[in-house]
Amino acid sequence: MVVAMAYLLTIHVLRQIYDDGSCSLDITGPLMIITQKVTSLAFSIHDGFVRQTKDLTKAQQYHAVNKLPSALEYFSYVLNFQGLMAGPLVFYKDYIDFIEGYNLRPAVNTSADKGKSQVVLEPSPVKTVVKKVIGSFICAFIFMKFVQLYPIKNLKDDDFVDNTTVLYKIWYAMMATTTTRFKYYHAWLLADAIANNSGLGFTGYDKDGNANWDLISNINVFGFEFATNIRDAINNWNCGTNRWLRTIVYERVPKKYGTILTFALSAVWHGFYPGYYLTFATGALMVTSARMARRMFRHRFQQTRMTRMFYDILTCLTTRIVMGYTTFPFVLLEFMGSIQLYLKFYLCLHIVALTTIYVLPKFIRGERRSTHPTHNVSKIVAPSKVEDALREARNDQECKSNQSEEARQLLKPIQLTPGETNALPQRDEIIKPPQLPIVAPAREAISVPHDQCEMDQLSSKLMEKIEAETKNIEEFIDKTVTETVTGIVEFKKDLMRDSIPSGLRKRTSLASTMSDVVAGATCKPQTEEGSAFLKKEIEVINAVVQQANVLPAVLSNGHAK
């Protein structure tokens, strides 16, 4: 890793010397992807040969390499065409599984007759590729449309800095950075479509039998744009780099240094422009403060559906503002221009973040976490709202004096031995008490787990709507594929009728054999050889047409096995 990073940083320095601030094409982009590949492979080999399995995380166990790659395998992985220029990053194990065909094992059709060989049907990426290509060009259109309305260069213009209000500056920074992001969306979606079209990225089938092609997806546009916190936004942005940073840094360093070192490596990996370091330093501060704020405030908004919805909308809008405030130096690149604009902002969000971390915890009590040994049992035997209220009543020593006798009776059944849990009724069979007379002054709201909030993930709701609207596109693709199948069948018939000489056609009837053709053919050897080759190709096409579900893969990948 030291060698690869040193070489990359040397190229970054040279680029800044001869081409500072320019948008011209250079080697650093592809080299950044190659650096991710060689370093991740080095750590995977280290995990496979040096470390014990019990010391590895689940991700490290999955990516561990137990066999040294050959020179061909190594350079094929580092320089594979699908992700050479713009990614996305694919880990070595996933790439080798793709090359060897192991990623298709979920699609293996086992034959009832053990004597017959298994047939592997390669799934079609046509629908996924069409969706991503359409999404890519929509993002390109949005970028070209709005980049003229919110050019990033205005952020360092003296007239803009001196003659606009703070609120307008924050609004402009948010819109300018949002517009710039669509440039990356376009590149990543198109690169992902290229990889999927070659067959790379298949992860198996979902419960409905649909093929998943999200192994190396680099961006989740709706997940990022409608994230309700900084953490979710980061997880949906440049996912390949996030996986790389988590695998080689975050999971290998002491936990208290994980966030800082991860942001530091990300900044160095991008280069030496000062704007990168301002962005990642501010980002580390914002992530830490967001965790503290979530712990202090979120549980207070979980009492009703409306309050939860209000909390999610509020945090979504706040995340948009924070992202614009944090990331504009990344696009601006300049140190003095970024610092000047931060001063014009009065460092407002920096002050809010520091206050959230160091001041508010002294006055605002955060969410309690239950450590009672019967916590897991209570999860099994009681509905979510009742169990949270009961657990809260048991943990809050302040409220014990205010609990009624009925509440104490409700607490008793939770204290069960492991052998008694099997006799308990299921969750749906439990009848909720009409009233729960528990008084909890410190926390009147009932906690709802993060993944159970109705609108805690706005992107999920939007994706459901968008998937419903795209069914028409899928039906159009299916119709097109069906018409293509019919066209190939007709094309095959035309070839059989027109391309093969009449003498050969008579000799290749269903009752004749290939020996008859060779023995009685009157055509020239060259013509006969070409006709035999053409007939063989037609038979292959005919066999493929018999399985219409394989045809899209043939059309997209250009081969059939």
Side-chain angles (χ1 to χ4, degrees), residues 299-305 307-308 385 444-446 448:
H299 65 277
R300 304 176 188 274
F301 291 87
Q302 305 305 305
Q303 186 174 9
T304 65
R305 180 179 180 182
T307 57
R308 289 195 295 270
K385 292 188 177 181
E444 297 179 354
I446 297 175
V448 177

Side-chain angles (χ1 to χ4, degrees), residues 447-503:
S447 298
V448 177
H450 174 64
D451 57 351
Q452 293 181 13
C453 291
E454 286 88 347
M455 294 193 60
D456 205 14
Q457 290 292 344
L458 297 180
S459 60
S460 300
K461 298 290 183 182
L462 292 172
M463 284 302 295
E464 292 177 2
K465 298 292 184 183
I466 292 173
E467 288 177 359
E469 294 297 332
T470 55
K471 284 185 178 180
N472 292 333
I473 298 177
E474 294 183 2
E475 292 176 358
F476 171 76
I477 295 172
D478 292 337
K479 181 179 179 181
T480 304
V481 170
T482 303
E483 293 176 353
T484 306
V485 172
T486 305
I488 289 182
V489 173
E490 297 298 330
F491 175 68
K492 183 261 295 187
K493 293 180 179 178
D494 292 341
L495 289 177
M496 290 292 293
R497 182 176 62 255
D498 300 330
S499 299
I500 301 179
S502 57

Side-chain angles (χ1 to χ4, degrees), residues 1 163 226 263 293 302 372 381 394 407 460 506 536 561:
M1 178 178 176
N163 300 324
F226 296 96
F263 276 100
Q302 305 305 305
H372 197 278
V381 302
R394 182 165 37 218
S460 300
K506 293 179 180 179
K536 183 178 179 181
K561 294 183 182 178

Side-chain angles (χ1 to χ4, degrees), residues 321-351:
I321 296 174
V322 172
M323 291 301 296
Y325 181 90
T326 303
T327 59
F328 79 84
F330 188 93
V331 184
L332 204 59
L333 297 178
E334 297 180 4
F335 179 78
M336 290 308 301
S338 301
I339 291 296
Q340 183 183 13
L341 195 55
Y342 270 139
L343 292 177
K344 291 296 182 179
F345 288 149
Y346 301 108
L347 297 175
C348 55
L349 294 188
H350 285 84
I351 296 174

